[in-house]
Amino acid sequence: MSERLRRHRETRGGAADPLHLLEEHVRAGRPIDAAALRVLGQRTGLPPAALRGTLSFYGELVPEPRTARVCRGTACTLARPRAPRVPVDEGAVPGVYCLGYCDRGPATLDEQGRVHLAAGGETPSAPAVRSIGREAIVTRHLLKGDHSGLAKARAAGVYGALAAALERGPAWVLDEVERSGLQGRGGAGFPAGAKWRRCAEAPGERRFVIANGDEGDPGSFIDRVLMEHDPHALLEGMILCAFAVGAGEGVLFVRGEYPEAVRRLEAALAEARRAGILGPSVLGSGFGFEVRLFRALGSYVCGEETAMLNALEGLRGEVRLRPPYPAEAGLHGQPTVVNNVETLVNVPWIVERGADAYRALGTAASPGTKALCLSRAFARPGIVEAEFGVPLGRIVEQEAGGGDRGERLIAVLLGGPMGSLLGPAEWEVPVCYAAMAERGVALGHGGLVGVPESTDPAALVVHLLEFMAEESCGKCVPCRLGSQRALAMARAGIGPADLPVFEELLGLIGTASLCAFGQMTPGPVWALLARYTERIVRREAPA
Ligand code: SF4
């Protein structure tokens, strides 16, 4: 939020959650005219121009009732030609990136918020989960089934680390997380402890902790599974973070495309409040912390932390220029930690077992483990938790068992459309933020989408550019218009004479875009173009 807007809201007051106030207004079928904008402006503290901007931005801020949607994530798109039909007319419903069932798709969402899978079943149970390292950290409860209920979670030891931490004090927790070397699992691999320290030491009247559950990378679903089946472990991680940095308020920012996660987290919050785990005195310690759930209204870019802050403040979900960083000036201009779900679920283990035990796992540059999500194109899809340092090829060939039904995989798309497309010759790369960065490989959220040999590379290019054109937040021209122009070219068929223009366009998008979305999304398209030039560049103009 700009200084000017912030001052405007401070002097005018305003709702804590303008976005859902607008949603209520729009869904009730009320008009958006000058009178309505005046009233909404008074209630939200936002000027009419900002309200108009917000109303035109979010895919879910529409008057029509919620409709069924078909998953157009990469895994479902690749699986669709070979899958049996699902009980929703896929051609007649809008698409969504993505529903987080990449291991069992194609998936569709019906009007009641139930997921249907080609493999059968509704709102299904957790996927196959395995741990191949010396320790299971984020999957330790998932391996023993669903732990969404408080009684079962507590029996498994959840909130034990919190009770111990409350005795030892916030400085000890902060030191321990900092020493552990825990890195954010959202893609950048930024040290979580450094972020927490910066937030704890920044001046501010209020402090916030936000769990980023906006897992938009098609191909990744670990955060969905954790939110649905281990929500109390996530809450414990959030409370530990809040205790360490001195935050009193927390937000669970969850994708609207994950309705089951929303339901289960709401239930977990209610249980935690009733049990005195959240509220004015966490476990009777005198430390107060409350968490609210924010259901996102459909925008991939809101997974970026500054765009997420804008959404929480009722503004367009566009990225903010940094600095200042959210740890210093985040939600409502106050110090804020934004960590993704998997990152926070690591924290109770670190507090329980200690930083040294955590550092003993993985590599020196990337301690601990990473949950890797395997799409349906593999023989054994699901979630594999592995220590950092494991070669990607071991995951693809041994743990995932290669391609489904013996079909050869020509590549894996690692980290979603903003990630890296890697052919078999590149699979020896270790899963480690530093080692991957040295080779220009992006781990992203850790989703692996297998690309079977039967895939048409030209169709995959179109799919990736469709994703970019649809999910661009529109703030900067290279990404907004460049993606649309590139998509139009790819759909029309790229001829030899078009190739230099297409390449120049991709280069421009990658270098001149404002945020990582525009800078990185051309990467997999480049990789396909380089590897399959003959199959993508048409010799003949299309008829
Ligand atoms: Fe928005 Fe794309 Fe620009 Fe990022 S690169 S700010 S997503 S338009």
Side-chain angles (χ1 to χ4, degrees):
M1 180 181 276
S2 71
E3 264 312 306
R4 203 165 148 212
L5 268 178
R6 186 173 305 116
R7 274 204 306 277
H8 185 96
R9 281 200 67 191
E10 276 166 9
T11 51
R12 301 275 301 276
D17 184 358
L19 213 53
H20 291 101
L21 196 70
L22 291 179
E23 184 192 31
E24 202 183 298
H25 182 97
V26 171
R27 287 274 164 84
R30 297 189 203 116
I32 303 287
D33 52 19
L37 286 173
R38 216 171 23 252
V39 173
L40 287 168
Q42 280 160 1
R43 294 186 67 192
T44 60
L46 292 170
L51 286 171
R52 281 197 186 281
T54 301
L55 284 160
S56 64
F57 183 82
Y58 294 94
E60 294 293 301
L61 269 181
V62 287
E64 302 89 42
R66 207 171 285 276
T67 59
R69 277 170 293 176
V70 55
C71 185
R72 297 212 197 286
T74 313
C76 283
T77 299
L78 294 180
R80 194 158 280 116
R82 277 163 285 167
R85 303 284 306 166
V86 290
V88 172
D89 182 359
E90 293 182 349
V93 295
V96 58
Y97 300 99
C98 91
L99 295 173
Y101 289 88
C102 314
D103 56 327
R104 284 167 288 169
T108 51
L109 190 68
D110 69 18
E111 290 84 349
Q112 281 75 45
R114 289 180 308 228
V115 173
H116 298 266
L117 301 175
E122 290 177 0
T123 317
S125 56
V129 178
R130 281 162 281 155
S131 167
I132 60 167
R134 285 167 286 174
E135 294 280 351
I137 297 178
V138 293
T139 62
R140 62 179 163 155
H141 303 134
L142 300 177
L143 287 166
K144 296 178 189 146
D146 178 72
H147 285 71
S148 53
L150 180 59
K152 190 159 179 199
R154 277 194 138 157
V158 180
Y159 297 119
L162 175 63
L166 291 168
E167 297 281 323
R168 302 185 84 153
W172 179 84
V173 178
L174 185 49
D175 282 349
E176 214 57 20
V177 171
E178 209 167 32
R179 279 199 318 112
S180 73
L182 171 66
Q183 293 162 295
R185 303 294 195 250
F190 189 79
K195 198 184 258 191
W196 290 23
R197 172 80 61 195
R198 197 180 280 188
C199 176
E201 292 177 354
E205 289 155 19
R206 297 159 75 188
R207 251 164 257 278
F208 298 93
V209 172
I210 300 175
N212 183 347
D214 199 42
E215 183 181 43
D217 269 358
S220 174
F221 46 91
I222 178 64
D223 289 353
R224 177 187 67 73
V225 172
L226 287 170
M227 288 188 284
E228 289 179 8
H229 298 280
D230 206 4
H232 288 284
L234 169 59
L235 288 181
E236 187 178 23
M238 283 183 82
I239 303 169
L240 285 164
C241 175
F243 183 58
V245 305
E249 297 161 74
V251 182
L252 282 161
F253 190 100
V254 188
R255 313 183 68 219
E257 294 85 351
Y258 284 179
E260 187 63 18
V262 170
R263 281 192 283 269
R264 290 187 180 208
L265 283 167
E266 290 281 21
L269 284 173
E271 278 186 312
R273 284 187 200 114
R274 279 197 300 273
I277 295 164
L278 289 172
S281 180
V282 170
L283 295 178
S285 64
F287 159 66
F289 184 59
E290 189 45 271
V291 177
R292 70 184 167 99
L293 189 146
F294 184 97
R295 178 178 44 79
L297 292 180
S299 163
Y300 174 84
V301 177
C302 284
E304 194 278 340
E305 59 183 8
T306 61
M308 177 175 293
L309 296 174
N310 276 349
L312 288 167
E313 292 177 1
L315 302 170
R316 291 169 70 85
E318 294 173 343
V319 297
R320 299 177 182 177
L321 288 176
R322 290 177 288 188
Y325 291 93
E328 287 151 350
L331 190 58
H332 307 303
Q334 302 295 319
T336 303
V337 170
V338 185
N339 277 150
N340 102 315
V341 167
E342 187 184 347
T343 313
L344 288 164
V345 173
N346 273 272
V347 173
W349 194 97
I350 292 167
V351 168
E352 199 179 297
R353 303 278 293 273
D356 293 335
Y358 194 78
R359 274 215 167 269
L361 303 169
T363 65
S366 290
T369 63
K370 179 77 192 84
L372 300 163
C373 302
L374 307 173
S375 77
R376 184 166 177 184
F378 295 104
R380 288 193 293 279
I383 293 173
V384 172
E385 181 174 3
E387 285 183 45
F388 279 108
V390 65
L392 190 68
R394 175 177 165 197
I395 301 294
V396 173
E397 283 155 356
Q398 291 178 33
E399 305 307 329
D404 185 28
R405 286 173 257 178
E407 183 170 0
R408 198 173 77 88
L409 297 176
I410 53 169
V412 291
L413 181 60
L414 175 67
M418 284 172 65
S420 300
L421 189 101
L422 302 173
E426 298 156 291
W427 293 349
E428 92 291 353
V429 64
V431 176
C432 165
Y433 289 108
M436 289 183 147
E438 268 172 29
R439 302 179 198 205
V441 174
L443 177 58
H445 268 71
L448 273 75
V449 176
V451 182
E453 195 168 27
S454 54
T455 304
D456 173 6
L460 189 50
V461 165
V462 170
H463 162 78
L464 293 169
L465 290 170
E466 278 173 346
F467 171 80
M468 187 178 191
E470 273 190 42
E471 297 292 348
S472 163
C473 85
K475 182 165 177 157
C476 66
V477 171
C479 171
R480 183 182 72 235
L481 296 183
S483 59
Q484 289 175 20
R485 179 76 192 113
L487 173 60
M489 290 181 78
R491 276 184 176 153
I494 300 162
D498 306 319
L499 188 57
V501 179
F502 188 70
E503 288 183 326
E504 197 179 341
L505 195 51
L506 290 180
L508 183 80
I509 298 168
T511 51
S513 289
L514 184 62
C515 81
F517 181 85
Q519 291 158 11
M520 295 172 74
T521 316
V525 179
W526 273 118
L528 281 164
L529 199 56
R531 217 163 284 154
Y532 303 106
T533 316
E534 295 297 315
R535 292 174 65 187
I536 294 171
V537 179
R538 307 159 69 118
R539 294 281 149 211
E540 311 254 327

